[in-house]
Amino acid sequence: MILTCLNEKSNVIDIKPYERNAATKLIEDFMLIANETVAEHFYFLDMPFVYRVHEKPESDKINKLASFIRGFGYGLKMKGEEVHPKELQKLLSSIADTPEEALISRLTLRSMQRAKYSTNCGGHYGLACEYYCHFTSPIRRYPDLQIHRIIKDFIHGRMNEDKIMHYNNILDEVASNSSSRERLADEAERETDKLKKCQYMERRIGYKYTGIISGVTNWGIYVELDNTCEGLIHISKIPGDYYYYDEKEYKLIGESTKRTFSLGHKIDIIVNGVDMISKTIDFIIDEEAEELT
């Protein structure tokens, strides 16, 4: 989660990762247990219900994550092309309270499939739960409110055949609409974050930062700063050699110099430009700083 600080004119004065403290983690643990318990209980009651379902991640994304965290000295035990969700939980536990926690947590989340709402209990991969639902936030999520209605009908003895038929008729659409609305809300949030980050970095063109390579492609390398802002160093802006993309190792390698840019490596950059229309930030390599290191 990103914390964006604005002044009275809605101008960005600071951007930084949101720090989770012990109280936050304790509340999250209670919420997870409540959600899991309610989902399991109503699954075995064989009642109409709305579950939170999270499928297994795609193998190429997990391979990319494994390659990235190796740069920090971490690893994932994999069976073939698959990784057990407990391994990801072990990873998140091992990075707790480390400087790289925010970055690795976000990239781990990006490696996952998108969770969705469903009337079928398909389990939640990321949480390693066989039964899961969203029960604890009726103020901000409609599926939670729908589940509360089901629970109230059951507690008060109103879950007769007519009620069951009613829920069976509407819940598939409820789950589908809730999933699609959630995707739109997430997209709006991402676009707002990108806009605010561009506004913040536009006033810092020419500034020097040290970041971490968070993505490698055949068109360049993405670098994420400590403040969570991410920018692209285009391959045409990398001096001194012709670079080719090693797709298996997620690296850019200099043809003559063998200079290598890999996921997870630190790199010194200069903010080179901001495009407010496309909401993108451009970096160039700070060659003077790189030479010193």
Side-chain angles (χ1 to χ4, degrees):
M1 187 179 294
I2 300 165
L3 184 62
T4 305
C5 304
L6 308 178
N7 62 17
E8 65 279 359
K9 295 183 179 179
S10 296
N11 294 321
V12 186
I13 56 176
D14 196 14
I15 296 177
K16 56 187 176 182
Y18 178 79
E19 295 183 7
R20 295 165 63 245
N21 56 30
T24 305
K25 295 174 184 177
L26 182 63
I27 292 169
E28 288 176 353
D29 287 342
F30 281 133
M31 291 173 67
L32 292 174
I33 292 169
N35 289 336
E36 188 176 0
T37 300
V38 170
E40 182 177 5
H41 184 72
F42 276 83
Y43 175 80
F44 284 105
L45 286 175
D46 199 23
M47 291 282 177
F49 209 67
V50 179
Y51 298 95
R52 183 69 166 174
V53 175
H54 189 220
E55 298 174 345
K56 291 181 180 179
E58 297 174 1
S59 58
D60 63 326
K61 290 186 177 181
I62 288 298
N63 288 332
K64 187 175 290 188
L65 175 65
S67 177
F68 178 81
I69 64 176
R70 277 199 294 271
F72 293 91
Y74 302 104
L76 288 175
K77 292 182 181 177
M78 299 178 65
K79 186 176 181 180
E81 294 291 311
E82 294 187 0
V83 60
H84 194 278
K86 292 290 187 183
E87 272 297 300
L88 296 175
Q89 292 183 359
K90 283 168 56 180
L91 170 65
L92 295 178
S93 296
S94 64
I95 64 173
D97 301 320
T98 65
E100 60 268 19
E101 178 181 10
L103 175 59
I104 293 180
S105 295
R106 283 196 300 279
L107 292 178
T108 301
L109 185 60
R110 290 182 195 174
S111 303
M112 299 293 100
Q113 295 268 36
R114 178 183 288 277
K116 62 183 179 181
Y117 297 102
S118 175
T119 54
N120 298 315
C121 184
H124 196 293
Y125 174 86
L127 299 173
C129 295
E130 191 173 352
Y131 315 95
Y132 197 71
C133 69
H134 274 168
F135 156 78
T136 49
S137 301
I139 292 174
R140 66 183 178 90
R141 285 196 299 242
Y142 181 72
D144 306 63
L145 179 61
Q146 184 65 78
I147 287 173
H148 279 229
R149 289 170 177 167
I150 293 171
I151 293 172
K152 287 178 181 177
D153 282 336
F154 173 74
I155 290 174
H156 295 293
R158 298 191 296 260
M159 194 61 80
N160 52 34
E161 290 185 8
D162 288 341
K163 275 288 184 181
I164 290 174
M165 184 179 296
H166 164 72
Y167 284 121
N168 281 332
N169 286 337
I170 69 169
L171 289 187
D172 280 331
E173 186 175 1
V174 166
S176 176
N177 285 344
S178 296
S179 296
S180 64
R181 294 293 98 184
E182 179 185 47
R183 287 193 292 272
L184 285 175
D186 287 345
E187 181 63 25
E189 182 179 351
R190 282 194 297 271
E191 289 299 306
T192 301
D193 282 342
K194 286 164 61 177
L195 175 64
K196 291 303 180 183
K197 287 178 178 180
C198 285
Q199 290 174 348
Y200 180 75
M201 296 304 290
E202 189 178 33
R203 301 193 302 274
R204 285 158 179 80
I205 292 175
Y207 281 38
K208 298 182 179 183
Y209 293 92
T210 298
I212 293 173
I213 298 177
S214 56
V216 181
T217 69
N218 58 3
W219 59 84
I221 54 179
Y222 289 92
V223 178
E224 182 166 326
L225 309 181
D226 288 342
N227 62 13
T228 76
C229 293
E230 187 178 61
L232 172 68
I233 302 175
H234 195 272
I235 194 167
S236 64
K237 299 287 179 66
I238 304 177
D241 204 347
Y242 172 81
Y243 288 85
Y244 66 91
Y245 177 50
D246 186 331
E247 190 173 356
K248 290 184 179 180
E249 295 293 328
Y250 308 108
K251 295 178 179 179
L252 277 184
I253 303 173
E255 195 172 69
S256 301
T257 62
K258 303 303 178 185
R259 185 183 186 186
T260 302
F261 297 96
S262 304
L263 289 170
H265 286 185
K266 287 188 175 182
I267 186 170
D268 296 293
I269 62 92
I270 301 172
V271 183
N272 190 50
V274 172
D275 188 330
M276 297 300 297
I277 303 299
S278 62
K279 304 184 188 72
T280 56
I281 305 168
D282 291 325
F283 295 153
I284 56 174
I285 297 174
D286 183 359
E287 289 292 336
E288 291 184 3
E290 287 290 306
E291 287 175 4
L292 292 175
T293 57

